[in-house]
Amino acid sequence: MSLRPTVDFLLHDWLKVESLQSRERFADHSRETFDAVLDTCERIAREKYAPFNRLVDTQEPHFDGEKVTLPQATHEAYKAYAESGMLSAAQDYEIGGMQLPYTVEAAANAFFAMASVSIGSGMLTSGNANLLMVHGTELQKKVFALNEFSGRFSGTMCLSEPQAGSSLSDVMTRATPDGADFEADPLGARYRLKGNKMWISSGEHELSENIIHLVLAKIPDANGQLVPGVKGISLFIVPKKLVGTDGQLTGERNDVALAGLNHKCGWRGTTNTLLNFGEGKYPVRGEAGGGLDGAGSGAVGYLVGQPGEGLKCMFHMMNEARIGVGMAATMLGMAGYYASLDYAKNRPQGRPSGAGGKDASRPQVRIIEHADIKRMLLAQKAYSEGALALALYCARLVDEQHTGTAQDADVARLLLEVLTPIVKSFPSEWCLEANSLAIQIHGGYGYTRDFPVEQYWRDNRLNMIHEGTHGIQAMDLLGRKVLMENGRGLQLLAERMLATAAKAESAWAPEAAALRDALKQIGQATQQAWAGAEPAQALANAVPYLQAFGHTVIAWIWLDVAASLGQDDTPAAQGRRAACRYFYRYELPKIGAWLNVVKSRDPTCADLPEDAF
């Protein structure tokens, strides 16, 4: 089955992406240019990614103590992706970009995520460069970001540390000024970094000429002490190989060393690393004697933005990465759905029951003729296609934020604030469930490597942790996003949901009423969770709140999609209507149980003493 018809429907029939051509930035584009980009990405994904998805799962990256070896297929896929121009697709023409709407860029990248999420398609590199285009100096943009957009350099984000995990306030990597003239370096205020970073995807490889690490670290105070909390965190560019102001390599290796590879259950084609900064394995400049004003040891890094504002800068990349992780999870769910649909159409097993029971003399039927198989297929479709629609809707909001009127841009900003935890978390949980159902449909064969669905599940299991766990997304949503600016973001989202309910009233009255009721329950739960409560009480059941909120959002998305179908009676339209009905009848009713514990601030989990477990 092909993804393309679904992408075309969501982009053109539902989101009306051609309307963006009226914006000055996108005036040169048309349906033809959008289709050309999709055609190119679909072809590269089919030829360079999909055939090697199993290969990169079984031939994991190998580290011999000096360098990492990846299969040749990974090198060829990286080269093809870089040459396609997709790393800089949304950038200005003047720097080699296409000025492509992010909505189309996100849709085009979906083909790579479904073909082989493990090979990857440069999400971190483009996110790294995009951050520098916003927060970097002009020279940092020219030397680092532009070379990342071309694919000559690749990029990472280095946040977590072995002892800190997701608790960024506890990072211990130190950055000290590099000599008396540290502020005079044309590439940015120059520091020496020492510390360790854990779980760094694509932290070491030979795919690109250089790797640009964006590293969170703390600058010691006058007493040499690290400032507690996130306010003391700054952001630094730390290249694997040092670069001159002309963007060329100087021939010097920076003191960034691979300590080892992490071997995860999935995403095995992507190097996942523990990196040591400034341990002395690669002495640089002052470490080897002489150099920069007698500078001490450590990896050379250049400050991005202002001291103490590193996390603020990094959130530009983190939010982009969260949407990217949501899309990756979505496409893994979609890949499993397509695989199990194909299997169900071709696997004969069992016989239908008649008035006299089963007739063993009759031929077997294909398993897609069994009601429970249809249930599992419809669940996968509802989760995955609904999540894809949400991801593209959020991408459309990004375009609105960047090119809309001041008022529309502000609305888009707030909607994105509220929806980002959902677009990351819903696919990570429910498209993983879709992968589990895909295995179930395959029966015993689903557990074997003869079929791809077990790999899809393993790859997708990582996404519940990537870029912030469910618990972190939940506390962000209930503890910050729905409250910010006096709840205006939640109010704006509610207005859009109610508008959809009104639009769908004539053809989808029961669903419109159910959406209004769900929205009312969300509002009540939000108020009751915080009514006179301490934060610990209010947030104790943040994850059930996130689950209910996510289901309400997907219900809204499905109703909006269904209402857009009009009189269309094609099989694809029938399938979308069925997915909408399924979600309202089988999924949305779950929110009552989730919200009950939120409303009552149920203490069952929070109050259980440790020794009772």
Side-chain angles (χ1 to χ4, degrees):
M1 227 181 134
S2 172
L3 172 66
R4 183 62 178 274
T6 299
V7 167
D8 284 343
F9 166 78
L10 292 174
L11 283 181
H12 301 295
D13 298 313
W14 181 53
L15 289 175
K16 312 293 184 187
V17 74
E18 291 98 325
S19 65
L20 288 171
Q21 297 161 212
S22 64
R23 309 281 170 88
E24 180 180 357
R25 181 169 183 80
F26 308 128
D28 293 338
H29 287 292
S30 63
R31 172 72 184 259
E32 288 70 27
T33 63
F34 294 159
D35 284 349
V37 170
L38 295 176
D39 289 343
T40 298
C41 292
E42 187 177 21
R43 176 183 57 78
I44 296 173
R46 182 177 61 249
E47 295 176 358
K48 301 294 186 181
Y49 285 71
F52 307 104
N53 190 45
R54 177 62 78 185
L55 173 74
V56 299
D57 184 62
T58 56
Q59 294 185 18
E60 292 187 67
H62 172 69
F63 179 46
D64 63 7
E66 291 299 325
K67 73 174 186 175
V68 169
T69 301
L70 291 164
Q72 182 60 32
T74 306
H75 291 261
E76 293 175 2
Y78 179 86
K79 180 181 178 184
Y81 186 80
E83 290 177 349
S84 74
M86 286 303 294
L87 286 167
S88 60
Q91 298 304 311
D92 295 347
Y93 294 135
E94 288 74 13
I95 63 171
M98 304 182 202
Q99 293 189 192
L100 195 69
Y102 180 61
T103 314
V104 179
E105 178 187 358
N109 279 324
F111 293 107
F112 299 102
M114 193 170 85
S116 181
V117 74
S118 187
I119 293 177
S121 54
M123 177 183 76
L124 292 177
T125 296
S126 59
N128 180 308
N130 288 339
L131 181 153
L132 292 176
M133 293 300 290
V134 174
H135 298 288
T137 65
E138 289 305 311
L139 194 57
Q140 287 173 344
K141 296 175 189 178
K142 179 180 178 181
V143 170
F144 300 111
L146 297 194
N147 279 308
E148 290 181 274
F149 285 137
S150 72
R152 182 176 164 231
F153 297 169
S154 58
T156 73
M157 55 190 298
C158 299
L159 288 74
S160 300
E161 296 180 4
Q163 83 291 343
S166 299
S167 181
L168 296 181
S169 61
D170 294 313
V171 299
M172 300 294 291
T173 299
R174 303 168 68 93
T176 55
D178 186 26
D181 67 340
F182 78 101
E183 292 182 302
D185 197 300
L187 290 176
R190 190 181 62 248
Y191 287 75
R192 293 292 184 132
L193 277 73
K194 292 185 178 182
N196 316 101
K197 293 293 181 178
M198 185 61 143
W199 314 118
I200 309 306
S201 296
S202 301
E204 179 59 38
H205 53 73
E206 301 291 326
L207 298 173
S208 57
E209 189 176 329
N210 202 0
I211 302 175
I212 309 305
H213 303 289
L214 284 178
V215 183
L216 292 182
K218 292 184 176 182
I219 302 170
D221 61 19
N223 298 316
Q225 302 299 309
L226 298 183
V227 178
V230 298
K231 292 183 179 179
I233 297 175
S234 300
L235 180 63
F236 300 88
I237 299 167
V238 185
K240 172 184 172 180
K241 300 173 183 177
L242 295 184
V243 182
T245 56
D246 59 356
Q248 299 303 309
L249 303 186
T250 66
E252 301 168 278
R253 171 71 188 257
N254 204 359
D255 198 2
V256 183
L258 175 63
L261 297 175
N262 299 307
H263 297 280
K264 295 186 174 183
C265 72
W267 289 62
R268 290 178 174 176
T270 300
T271 56
N272 189 274
T273 63
L274 168 59
L275 298 177
N276 292 339
F277 292 84
E279 68 167 5
K281 181 173 182 179
Y282 301 104
V284 57
R285 296 184 177 177
E287 293 182 58
L292 301 173
D293 300 306
S297 61
V300 174
Y302 307 100
L303 181 68
V304 178
Q306 298 300 312
E309 296 188 1
L311 202 55
K312 177 182 177 182
C313 296
M314 186 59 90
F315 261 111
H316 185 95
M317 185 175 182
M318 288 169 66
N319 285 331
E320 189 173 321
R322 284 171 175 172
I323 296 175
V325 166
M327 180 64 88
T330 296
M331 300 321 300
L332 284 164
M334 194 75 82
Y337 166 56
Y338 286 165
S340 60
L341 176 60
D342 181 69
Y343 185 84
K345 287 180 176 179
N346 291 284
R347 167 70 173 178
Q349 186 174 323
R351 294 168 178 83
S353 295
K358 293 182 179 180
D359 183 354
S361 66
R362 296 182 63 184
Q364 290 183 318
V365 297
R366 296 167 303 137
I367 62 173
I368 197 171
E369 298 179 47
H370 299 304
D372 196 52
I373 298 294
K374 291 183 178 181
R375 175 190 66 82
M376 290 188 282
L377 288 170
L378 202 49
Q380 291 179 70
K381 180 179 178 66
Y383 297 149
S384 302
E385 193 170 329
L388 178 58
L390 174 61
L392 294 179
Y393 182 87
C394 288
R396 181 65 179 79
L397 289 175
V398 172
D399 285 324
E400 197 64 36
Q401 186 178 4
H402 291 161
T403 64
T405 65
Q407 181 177 355
D408 289 344
D410 191 55
V411 168
R413 173 188 64 83
L414 273 169
L415 287 171
L416 278 169
E417 290 280 7
V418 175
L419 289 174
T420 294
I422 304 303
V423 76
K424 189 275 175 185
S425 65
F426 180 90
S428 300
E429 179 171 8
W430 296 100
C431 291
L432 178 68
E433 172 62 18
N435 291 138
S436 181
L437 292 172
I439 292 174
Q440 190 73 15
I441 287 173
H442 280 73
Y445 290 108
Y447 300 105
T448 72
R449 291 196 172 191
D450 295 331
F451 292 87
V453 288
E454 60 85 27
Q455 182 184 344
Y456 295 146
W457 188 93
R458 285 187 290 104
D459 284 340
N460 218 353
R461 186 58 186 82
L462 277 64
N463 289 317
M464 291 183 75
I465 294 174
H466 277 158
E467 303 308 327
T469 63
H470 261 34
I472 288 172
Q473 304 300 329
M475 288 188 287
D476 183 40
L477 179 67
L478 181 57
R480 195 166 72 88
K481 296 299 181 63
V482 297
L483 304 178
M484 65 188 299
E485 299 185 25
N486 295 316
R488 183 165 168 255
L490 180 57
Q491 180 183 351
L492 289 169
L493 182 60
E495 290 172 0
R496 297 212 171 186
M497 290 184 177
L498 292 174
T500 292
K503 178 174 63 175
E505 186 69 55
S506 59
W508 296 84
E511 289 78 11
L515 180 60
R516 291 191 188 98
D517 181 66
L519 183 59
K520 182 179 178 181
Q521 291 186 60
I522 291 290
Q524 291 173 342
T526 306
Q527 291 179 340
Q528 292 179 35
W530 285 104
E534 295 293 325
Q537 293 176 306
L539 298 175
N541 293 295
V543 167
Y545 179 86
L546 176 78
Q547 291 170 309
F549 201 109
H551 263 53
T552 302
V553 167
I554 296 296
W556 160 57
I557 289 290
W558 265 119
L559 187 58
D560 204 77
V561 167
S564 75
L565 294 170
Q567 301 302 311
D568 186 353
D569 197 38
T570 61
Q574 293 173 23
R576 292 187 177 103
R577 290 191 186 94
C580 181
R581 286 193 293 272
Y582 172 87
F583 204 86
Y584 275 84
R585 296 174 187 179
Y586 288 75
E587 296 293 332
L588 190 59
K590 295 175 181 177
I591 74 167
W594 287 326
L595 291 178
N596 281 341
V597 295
V598 178
K599 292 176 183 177
S600 64
R601 298 199 291 268
D602 184 84
T604 301
C605 300
D607 289 356
L608 186 64
E610 182 179 327
D611 57 6
F613 283 95

